[in-house]
Structure formats: structure tokens, C-alpha cells
């Protein structure tokens, strides 16, 4: 990344460490992501991908490391002891600037699609309910679900639930959206519904960090691919170089297995 691109970085991570008991999951991860970049994170199971992306908005508190998102900086020296009071405010600021889409949707079962989407803007950002409803209906239309606003999650397919989850994320007007294997729980047909929405977001310039095994999708939309294994970044390359000129045999083996 050039000096100019670094100055426009929206995500900067330095020396990120995380262990669960004696299992070291992240071992000094460093990465910088520029505004509007679509970065796909790939790697075998257990490589630290999900922990990395969950650490960015402190769903997992790192043991040590520095995270800066849109100018808000949090430095953790001993995460096991908990965050300090001032850091909780910084984490809240980061969460206002980011949104996350989960593998398992995480919709509120007792709320309709519309109410799931307006909950965050109304409760966290203080948006007027009437304004939030207008925005939510526009977002449901954007993800192709205008007619489903009054349906509860139990009456939606997996692909529809994930599209509602994406609309919910967009309702927070985030600078960065984090995706943790958003299609891995879906059948192929439903997977395509979700990937189509994500392609449109990428085309619109949204900064996205996506943990996925979807090679075809990554080839199409990723600006960069980060390959993780054993808690470290093994490769950080342009999409073209990653897929067409893998730098080592380990990546070539991985791609043969998932393609």
C-alpha cells in the first residue's frame, strides 16, 4: 500500500494477539486496509480468520495489540484483565463505525424483518422511529425483500434471513462491514442470493472485510486476499496474484481443495 493509501486507511491492525487458554489463535497479526477496499480473508479451519474479524469490533477482546478504525484507536496490553473505562468508550465508537454480518444471521426471532432493521438506528444512534422505518423499507427493497417487511425470521429462508441481516448492517450507515462466513450455512441457490447483494455493495464502494471460502466470489469482488494459517498472515496479495500466481505450495493446495 502506498503512503497516500495508508493515509486513507480505515482499518489498521498492529501486533494482534489472542489465545483461548493455551491455544494461541492470533500471533501478531498486522494489516492495513484502505477506504473502499474489499478484502477477503481465507485459510483452513482453525487458522484464526473468525477470531481476527471478531476482534476488529471487540466481539473478541484481543490479549494484546493496536486496532484503529476510522481514526478511533484502541491499544490493548492485557486483554485478559478487561478493558479500561476509556477503552469502552473507544470500542463503542468503533462499533458505531462498523457493522457485522454473522454466519448464523443473529436476527431477533420475536421481531419482524422491519423491526430487526430499525432496532439499531433507533436504540443506538437515536434515529427517529419514523425516519428509521423509511430507511429500513428502502434497504429491504435494495436487498430484494420489500414484500417481507412484516415477516418474522421463522418464516424466511436462510438466504432471506441473511439479506435482512445485511440490510440491518447497512441501516447503521457503517464505514466498514465485517462478514464472517456469511454463506457457509446456506444451500447453493440461497448462497447466490446473498452473494449478489454483496457484489452490489462492493460495486458501490463499501469497505468490506469478508471471511469466506467462496473462491469464485472472491475472484470477482476482492481487491486483496489475505491468507491465514496458524494464527498468522501467510499471504496478503492482490486478488489477481493470489489466485493466478500463488506464492507457495500451501496456498495452491488450499485452492485446489476449495475450488
Amino acid at each position: 500500500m502506498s503512503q497516500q493509501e495508508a493515509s486513507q486507511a480505515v482499518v489498521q491492525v498492529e501486533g494482534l494477539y489472542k489465545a483461548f487458554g493455551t491455544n494461541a489463535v492470533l500471533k501478531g497479526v498486522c494489516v492495513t486496509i484502505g477506504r473502499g477496499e474489499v478484502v477477503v480473508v481465507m485459510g483452513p479451519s482453525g487458522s484464526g480468520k473468525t477470531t481476527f474479524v471478531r476482534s476488529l469490533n471487540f466481539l473478541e477482546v484481543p490479549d494484546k495489540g493496536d486496532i484503529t478504525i476510522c481514526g478511533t484507536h484502541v491499544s490493548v496490553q492485557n486483554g485478559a484483565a478487561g478493558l479500561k473505562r476509556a477503552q469502552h468508550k473507544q470500542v463503542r465508537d468503533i462499533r458505531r463505525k462498523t457493522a457485522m454480518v454473522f454466519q448464523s444471521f443473529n436476527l431477533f426471532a420475536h421481531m419482524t424483518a422491519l423491526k430487526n432493521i430499525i432496532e439499531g438506528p433507533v436504540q443506538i444512534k437515536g434515529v427517529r422511529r419514523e425516519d428509521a422505518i423509511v430507511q429500513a423499507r428502502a434497504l429491504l427493497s435494495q436487498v430484494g425483500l420489500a414484500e417481507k417487511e412484516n415477516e418474522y425470521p421463522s418464516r424466511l429462508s436462510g438466504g432471506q434471513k441473511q439479506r435482512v441481516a445485511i440490510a440491518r448492517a447497512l441501516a447503521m450507515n457503517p464505514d466498514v462491514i465485517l462478514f464472517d462466513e456469511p454463506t457457509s450455512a446456506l444451500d447453493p441457490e440461497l448462497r447466490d442470493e446473498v452473494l449478489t447483494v454483496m457484489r452490489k455493495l462492493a460495486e458501490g464502494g463499501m469497505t468490506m472485510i469478508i471471511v469466506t471460502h467462496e473462491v469464485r466470489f472472491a475472484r470477482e469482488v476482492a481487491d486483496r486476499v489475505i491468507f491465514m494459517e496458524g494464527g498468522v498472515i501467510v499471504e496478503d496479495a492482490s486478488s489477481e496474484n493470489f489466485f493466478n500466481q500463488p506464492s507457495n505450495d500451501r496456498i495452491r493446495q488450499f485452492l485446489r481443495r476449495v475450488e
Side-chain angles (χ1 to χ4, degrees):
M1 179 173 289
S2 69
Q3 186 174 355
Q4 180 180 3
E5 288 172 324
S7 69
Q8 298 175 344
V10 293
V11 176
Q12 289 182 287
V13 178
E14 295 289 338
L16 197 65
Y17 290 83
K18 177 68 177 179
F20 296 99
T22 59
N23 181 25
V25 179
L26 299 178
K27 305 173 185 177
V29 171
C30 300
V31 69
T32 299
I33 295 170
R35 184 169 301 281
E37 277 198 295
V38 178
V39 177
V40 164
V41 184
M42 307 188 89
S45 297
S47 60
K49 307 182 301 296
T50 289
T51 301
F52 165 67
V53 78
R54 286 173 62 88
S55 295
L56 295 178
N57 65 355
F58 290 84
L59 289 176
E60 297 288 356
V61 177
D63 296 328
K64 186 170 69 170
D66 290 82
I67 296 173
T68 305
I69 295 183
C70 300
T72 299
H73 175 241
V74 183
S75 182
V76 179
Q77 298 304 318
N78 182 15
L83 296 174
K84 299 174 183 176
R85 180 177 297 177
Q87 291 175 317
H88 283 290
K89 179 183 182 300
Q90 294 164 339
V91 168
R92 286 195 297 273
D93 288 344
I94 282 177
R95 288 177 175 169
R96 289 190 184 100
K97 298 169 182 175
T98 61
M100 188 152 187
V101 177
F102 300 89
Q103 176 180 348
S104 54
F105 323 127
N106 287 19
L107 298 178
F108 294 113
H110 65 290
M111 293 183 182
T112 63
L114 184 76
K115 288 183 178 178
N116 263 283
I117 296 169
I118 70 172
E119 182 74 4
V122 171
Q123 297 299 328
I124 297 173
K125 289 203 163 184
V127 175
R128 288 196 326 141
R129 181 180 174 84
E130 295 80 2
D131 295 336
I133 288 173
V134 170
Q135 181 194 35
R137 285 178 171 151
L139 289 169
L140 280 169
S141 180
Q142 181 179 331
V143 299
L145 293 174
E147 75 286 359
K148 300 291 186 181
E149 68 172 69
N150 294 317
E151 297 287 1
Y152 289 87
S154 62
R155 294 179 57 85
L156 298 174
S157 70
Q160 290 169 339
K161 290 176 188 176
Q162 197 61 293
R163 284 187 280 158
V164 171
I166 292 172
R168 179 180 61 180
L170 291 170
M172 298 300 289
N173 293 315
D175 292 284
V176 183
I177 301 186
L178 312 171
F179 293 85
D180 182 19
E181 301 202 27
T183 61
S184 64
L186 303 177
D187 293 332
E189 184 177 351
L190 303 179
R191 191 179 302 150
D192 286 341
E193 294 177 8
V194 175
L195 294 178
T196 296
V197 172
M198 293 173 67
R199 284 187 190 94
K200 290 179 181 176
L201 291 179
E203 291 167 1
M206 175 62 71
T207 307
M208 301 162 68
I209 304 173
I210 308 165
V211 176
T212 185
H213 290 300
E214 299 282 351
V215 172
R216 180 168 60 89
F217 171 74
R219 282 181 179 272
E220 291 177 15
V221 305
D223 297 303
R224 287 162 59 195
V225 179
I226 290 171
F227 184 83
M228 295 186 67
E229 187 166 43
V232 300
I233 293 177
V234 175
E235 179 76 295
D236 181 349
S238 70
S239 176
E240 182 178 358
N241 286 345
F242 182 84
F243 291 112
N244 297 332
Q245 299 175 354
S247 63
N248 61 60
D249 286 338
R250 180 67 191 93
I251 294 173
R252 283 189 283 271
Q253 290 170 5
F254 174 82
L255 290 174
R256 281 197 296 269
R257 195 169 71 247
V258 297
E259 280 187 304

